[in-house]
Amino acid sequence: QNKYLIIDFPNKKITVSDDLDKKMKSKADFVNIEVKNHKPILPLKIDGKMYHFQYDSGASIFPIISYKQNFIDLISKSQFKEELNIRNFNNPLVVKAVETDKEIQLGDKFFKTNEFWYTDEDYFSLKQDGIDGIIGNVFFMDKVIIIDFLNKKFGIVESKKQK
């Protein structure tokens, strides 16, 4: 709370800090975010429409996930890809993927995804939390991200792995 969380994926480092290095700050492209229950909510644009996705560093099995009703147009126009049986708080749950070629925009950055994951119902209580889905790490694996909980910003830094 009221700190900076810096996740340097290429160098496998996580830092929590009271200040942000000026050099790092100048390299980052920041977007304004919401913080709900200490969780960063990112504004993502998909197909020209704005959505609010929670960033979850532990959600990496799925690059991006929502529930069917929230993305019915995308899901109904896409080819079914696969489904997985997982557990959510020890309850069995089926998650499905459709093939897609959608660009996801976060600020001035664009990310491609070839699959979109969803559940038939809102089993993750996304609607109750006032969000549209969850986004994991896959789009940031070659980057450094900065979650500025103090100023409610999410920054992306293009990274070169240090040796």
Side-chain angles (χ1 to χ4, degrees):
Q1 205 173 9
N2 296 323
K3 296 192 183 283
Y4 298 93
L5 174 63
I6 301 141
I7 305 175
D8 181 342
F9 287 103
N11 293 301
K12 299 179 179 140
K13 290 183 193 175
I14 296 179
T15 307
V16 175
S17 177
D18 289 321
D19 338 290
L20 186 58
D21 174 85
K22 286 181 183 180
K23 186 176 177 185
M24 178 71 74
K25 191 174 188 174
S26 70
K27 289 181 177 180
D29 291 322
F30 284 98
V31 295
N32 293 324
I33 62 171
E34 291 180 63
V35 177
K36 292 183 180 179
N37 298 322
H38 310 290
K39 299 171 187 172
I41 311 301
L42 311 182
L44 300 180
K45 191 181 275 188
I46 304 170
D47 269 354
K49 185 176 176 189
M50 192 59 73
Y51 296 95
H52 297 90
F53 275 68
Q54 174 188 318
Y55 169 68
D56 184 348
S57 62
S60 292
I61 189 169
F62 308 109
I64 189 165
I65 188 166
S66 188
Y67 59 99
K68 188 174 186 174
Q69 191 60 38
N70 209 24
F71 284 87
I72 193 74
D73 288 341
L74 178 130
I75 292 165
S76 64
K77 294 176 186 171
S78 301
Q79 174 87 21
F80 177 80
K81 185 174 180 181
E82 66 180 305
E83 70 179 45
L84 291 174
N85 293 307
I86 64 168
R87 293 200 167 288
N88 183 26
F89 296 103
N90 212 25
N91 296 312
L93 177 65
V94 175
V95 290
K96 300 174 183 177
V98 291
E99 292 178 0
T100 185
D101 61 352
K102 299 297 178 197
E103 270 191 341
I104 298 166
Q105 183 178 353
L106 174 60
D108 293 334
K109 302 280 186 196
F110 292 87
F111 305 93
K112 289 292 269 182
T113 184
N114 60 1
E115 60 190 24
F116 186 88
W117 289 87
Y118 67 96
T119 55
D120 283 332
E121 302 294 329
D122 184 13
Y123 295 115
F124 296 110
S125 301
L126 303 173
K127 190 173 185 177
Q128 175 183 317
D129 291 342
I131 60 176
D132 298 301
I134 299 170
I135 184 170
N137 297 326
V138 74
F139 302 110
F140 311 114
M141 296 307 288
D142 60 344
K143 296 168 181 34
V144 175
I145 61 170
I146 302 164
I147 305 173
D148 177 349
F149 286 100
L150 183 64
N151 301 297
K152 296 183 175 76
K153 295 191 179 291
F154 185 91
I156 301 173
V157 179
E158 298 297 329
S159 176
K160 293 186 177 145
K161 188 173 178 177
Q162 298 172 356
K163 294 185 180 183

